[in-house]
Amino acid sequence: MPMKPKLVEAFNIQIQAEFQSAYTYLGMAGWFTENNLPGFSQWMRIQWQEETLHAMKLHDFLHSRGESVTLRPLTAPSKKYTSSVQVFEQVRKHEQSITASINDLYELAFKEKDLPSQIVLQWFINEQVEEEALVMEIIERLKLVGSDGPSVYLLDRQMSSRTMPVDVSAT
Ligand code: FEO
């Protein structure tokens, strides 16, 4: 069954938002590298990959429904950060806006009675809960270690151990 044009448009906007997230986190990865925090940089690179997979999940879903994907332009990420906490505060703000857009998209799919869209979006709703919780935890840890060099070093090493979760796939 074809999707309503309004819903296809909203999915395309969400694809752009997910690719924009990826691009933003790649910018942050660069900032961490340039500020001698390779573990945080690695964490952000994983986040970049995850967001790319999120975008591709929606991208492939539209194609599987026989709909058209229209890729939109991205904006250059900022690199004007003053501290690691400030970077992650930005991540939190960004993820909250993504949660709001996913929720709006789900509401539209519900209104349009598009059941396959609702099912695919439920995965994203759960993912957003996990992402926001993870980012909050990192902010708390960063605040705890403050500017204590050895603690920052250890935290950076912990951050480098992040790998891609196995349940995230573009299919
Ligand atoms: Fe794909 Fe972090 O939202």
Side-chain angles (χ1 to χ4, degrees):
M1 202 164 97
M3 291 167 70
K4 297 275 169 54
K6 202 172 154 189
L7 190 56
V8 173
E9 168 81 355
F11 263 83
N12 272 304
I13 291 170
Q14 191 64 36
I15 290 169
Q16 179 191 30
E18 300 291 345
F19 276 129
Q20 186 66 55
S21 301
Y23 207 32
T24 299
Y25 297 143
L26 187 60
M28 289 174 175
W31 185 87
F32 279 118
T33 297
E34 289 160 26
N35 283 275
N36 305 310
L37 290 164
F40 278 92
S41 180
Q42 167 66 10
W43 192 96
M44 280 296 174
R45 278 170 184 250
I46 298 290
Q47 192 66 15
W48 162 60
Q49 288 178 42
E50 277 208 9
E51 298 300 351
T52 303
L53 288 176
H54 293 175
M56 291 310 295
K57 210 175 177 90
L58 298 171
H59 176 282
D60 293 351
F61 174 75
L62 279 188
H63 281 161
S64 72
R65 296 287 304 275
E67 303 295 348
S68 183
V69 172
T70 309
L71 293 176
R72 293 157 176 259
L74 302 178
T75 57
S78 164
K79 279 180 81 181
K80 290 186 183 134
Y81 304 114
T82 53
S83 67
S84 303
V85 178
Q86 199 223 352
V87 174
F88 275 90
E89 292 285 9
Q90 288 294 319
V91 174
R92 180 168 65 157
K93 239 171 88 180
H94 183 75
E95 286 303 326
Q96 285 170 342
S97 78
I98 294 291
T99 299
S101 62
I102 289 285
N103 291 350
D104 287 349
L105 188 52
Y106 183 86
E107 268 183 43
L108 181 62
F110 184 79
K111 219 174 93 190
E112 300 291 353
K113 297 186 173 59
D114 192 310
L115 297 182
S117 294
Q118 288 173 48
I119 291 166
V120 83
L121 290 169
Q122 276 166 11
W123 182 90
F124 282 87
I125 290 169
N126 286 330
E127 178 71 5
Q128 285 309 118
V129 172
E130 282 176 25
E131 287 211 341
E132 285 196 36
L134 182 60
V135 171
M136 272 308 297
E137 194 186 311
I138 294 168
I139 291 172
E140 291 310 314
R141 279 199 223 164
L142 278 167
K143 284 182 178 169
L144 205 64
V145 302
S147 57
D148 179 59
S151 303
V152 172
Y153 176 78
L154 283 177
L155 184 55
D156 186 63
R157 287 194 57 177
Q158 277 175 20
M159 295 291 282
S160 72
S161 64
R162 186 181 189 199
T163 53
M164 283 292 287
V166 282
D167 62 342
V168 176
S169 91
T171 57

